[in-house]
């Protein structure tokens, strides 16, 4: 028998208990042993819930119990999660987590402890909810040199942009609806400013490129400035706007990463990823293109990914599973050196003036927006775009990157 303890009985924690109880026969068969939830840790009580029988309020009970083999951390946040996880690993207990903030900040440290103790620190549910992207990067794609990962990694913002695109509503209306449906928190900052997606692309990039990408080094831009007019222009172009988290390897040892809204065309596999779904595009030098799609959040999809890690750890109880990630820093190239095309909205200028600065551009007009137009530039470095934009003397209303 393998005993586990679940830290946190919120949305994901209760989902983990539900998944293990519902699918216990098939889970035990895959694990090769019976998996038993011995403890659930939470500050609250849950009268009438069967979990009350195994509920504890003191972490010391769990950490000091030699029968506990695996700890599931689904509390969220940095502390006390980091302290609890580090102590568990030091005590020789394997840990799995859905906590992207913890993994993005302390992943190398915690994996190093797990390696030294010959146990495991797994975090499939930290990126993409129920999508098995981390397991794919760790095992299925190890024969490839990955040179790009681009994803829609936040279901809340994807839902909001889908609403803005299909219903013509503004940011605030879309946010209110997302909150009413439970897709967005009361404080939606981490989602709408792109911070959540930033941590996820940092984790995925660290695994793909084998070095530690610090999320604090990634240029991050959210969706708060996008308008229904931007969506109209996108539709006129036969495109759509998505918040993308992307990283690419350029040349032998040069990388860039960013999180920002992008215009994407219908030939992109991410074009049709709508509502609260997530999609992750991976390109490898041998594989070519691969696409991972599914529920990026939610109680049971996320819990399913957590329990998959529990099964993996149960099967490799005292044997470390190797991961392609170490503590050497992955340095990013200057953003001004990154090349791309740019969608630009202008007012109070002419196409002739624009083309004097940017050369030949693709122009688009909307009948309901007299006095302004938009254009898409040729590919150029971002630094070059900035210099040219200054020459239009304040005529630019908005800029959105174009995904090629």
């Amino acid at each position: 028998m393998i005993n586990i303890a679940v830290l946190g009985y919120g949305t994901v924690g209760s989902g983990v208990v539900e998944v293990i109880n519902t699918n216990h026969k098939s889970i035990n068969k895959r694990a090769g042993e019976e998996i038993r939830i011995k403890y659930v840790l939470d500050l609250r009580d849950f009268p009438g819930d069967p979990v009350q029988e195994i509920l504890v309020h003191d972490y010391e009970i769990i950490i000091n119990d030699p029968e506990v083999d695996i700890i599931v951390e689904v509390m969220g946040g940095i502390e006390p999660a980091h302290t609890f996880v580090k102590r568990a690993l030091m005590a020789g207990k394997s840990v799995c987590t859905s906590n992207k903030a913890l993994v993005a900040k302390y992943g190398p440290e915690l994996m190093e402890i797990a390696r030294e103790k010959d146990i495991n620190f797994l975090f499939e549910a930290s990126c993409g909810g129920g999508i098995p992207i981390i397991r794919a990067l760790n095992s299925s794609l190890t024969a490839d040199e990955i040179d790009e990962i681009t994803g829609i990694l936040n279901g809340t913002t994807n839902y909001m942009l889908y609403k803005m695109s299909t219903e013509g509503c503004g940011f605030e209306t879309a946010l209110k609806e997302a909150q009413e449906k439970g897709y967005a928190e009361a404080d939606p900052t981490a989602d709408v400013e792109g911070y959540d997606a930033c941590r996820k692309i940092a984790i995925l990039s660290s695994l793909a490129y084998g070095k530690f990408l610090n999320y604090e080094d990634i240029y991050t831009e959210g969706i708060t400035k996008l308008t229904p007019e931007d969506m109209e222009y996108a539709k006129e172009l036969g495109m759509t706007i998505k918040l993308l988290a992307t990283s690419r390897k350029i040349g032998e040892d040069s990388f860039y990463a960013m999180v920002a809204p992008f215009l994407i065309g219908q030939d992109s596999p991410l074009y049709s990823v709508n509502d609260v779904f997530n999609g992750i595009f991976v390109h490898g030098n041998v594989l070519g293109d691969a696409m991972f799609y599914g529920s990026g959040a939610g109680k049971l999809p996320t819990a399913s990914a957590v329990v998959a890690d529990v099964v993996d750890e149960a099967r490799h109880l005292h044997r470390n599973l190797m991961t392609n990630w170490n503590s050497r820093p992955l340095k990013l190239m200057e953003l001004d050196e990154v090349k791309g095309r740019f969608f630009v909205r202008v007012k109070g200028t002419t196409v002739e003036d624009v083309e004097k600065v940017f050369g030949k551009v693709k122009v688009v007009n909307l009948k309901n927006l007299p006095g302004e137009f938009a254009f898409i530039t040729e590919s150029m470095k971002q630094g070059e775009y900035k210099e040219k934009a200054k020459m239009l003397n304040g005529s630019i209303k908005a800029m959105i990157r174009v995904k090629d």
Side-chain angles (χ1 to χ4, degrees), residues 31-280:
E33 282 199 58
E34 185 182 345
I35 290 175
R36 170 188 172 223
I37 303 171
K38 188 170 184 181
Y39 302 110
V40 171
L41 177 76
D42 205 285
L43 292 173
R44 302 161 294 173
D45 283 304
F46 300 91
D49 189 319
V51 80
Q52 193 70 32
E53 294 176 18
I54 54 171
L55 190 72
V56 295
H57 304 303
D58 184 1
Y59 181 64
E60 298 305 316
I61 296 170
I62 294 168
I63 197 69
N64 293 319
D65 187 339
E67 290 187 350
V68 173
D69 303 297
I70 297 170
I71 288 182
V72 176
E73 188 280 305
V74 283
M75 304 162 66
I78 297 293
E79 288 296 348
H82 174 241
T83 300
F84 287 179
V85 167
K86 188 173 180 178
R87 287 185 65 195
L89 292 169
M90 293 296 289
K93 302 177 192 297
S94 286
V95 174
C96 56
T97 182
S98 60
N99 190 337
K100 57 194 162 282
L102 176 70
V103 179
K105 191 171 181 68
Y106 293 110
E109 173 202 29
L110 299 172
M111 279 187 282
E112 186 56 40
I113 297 170
R115 271 193 288 270
E116 289 171 2
K117 296 286 184 179
D118 214 15
I119 52 175
N120 288 292
F121 174 67
L122 301 181
F123 42 90
E124 180 65 70
S126 65
C127 298
I131 303 171
I133 180 62
I134 288 174
R135 198 163 272 104
L137 290 173
N138 264 340
S139 54
S140 305
L141 302 179
T142 49
D144 271 78
E145 290 280 337
I146 304 297
D147 54 32
E148 179 182 356
I149 297 181
T150 298
I152 295 167
L153 298 176
N154 183 274
T156 301
T157 49
N158 202 44
Y159 174 82
M160 290 173 62
L161 293 177
Y162 180 61
K163 285 289 170 184
M164 290 172 70
S165 174
T166 56
E167 297 179 7
C169 61
F171 171 83
E172 293 297 338
T173 302
L175 174 59
K176 186 180 178 186
E177 189 169 328
Q179 287 172 324
E180 287 171 354
K181 287 183 177 287
Y183 299 149
E185 303 286 342
D187 178 3
T189 306
D191 294 325
V192 300
E193 295 292 356
Y195 305 147
D196 175 80
C198 172
R199 285 167 172 79
K200 291 173 180 175
I201 196 65
I203 295 167
L204 294 176
S205 301
S206 297
L207 286 166
Y209 309 130
K211 295 180 181 178
F212 176 50
L213 176 53
N214 188 334
Y215 70 91
E216 293 176 343
D217 294 339
I218 300 174
Y219 172 81
T220 303
E221 184 183 318
I223 67 167
T224 56
K225 294 176 183 174
L226 294 176
T227 66
E229 290 75 25
D230 294 327
M231 296 297 178
E232 281 188 64
Y233 274 115
K235 206 169 286 184
E236 186 70 21
L237 288 160
M239 303 175 84
T240 190
I241 300 172
K242 301 288 188 184
L243 182 71
L244 299 184
T246 183
S247 69
R248 289 189 72 176
K249 182 179 182 181
I250 309 291
E252 186 54 38
D253 201 35
S254 190
F255 302 86
Y256 77 79
M258 73 172 76
V259 176
F262 279 81
L263 270 165
I264 61 174
Q266 295 178 31
D267 56 344
S268 167
L270 295 170
Y271 178 88
S272 300
V273 178
N274 293 320
D275 216 274
V276 292
F277 284 90
N278 281 196
I280 304 165

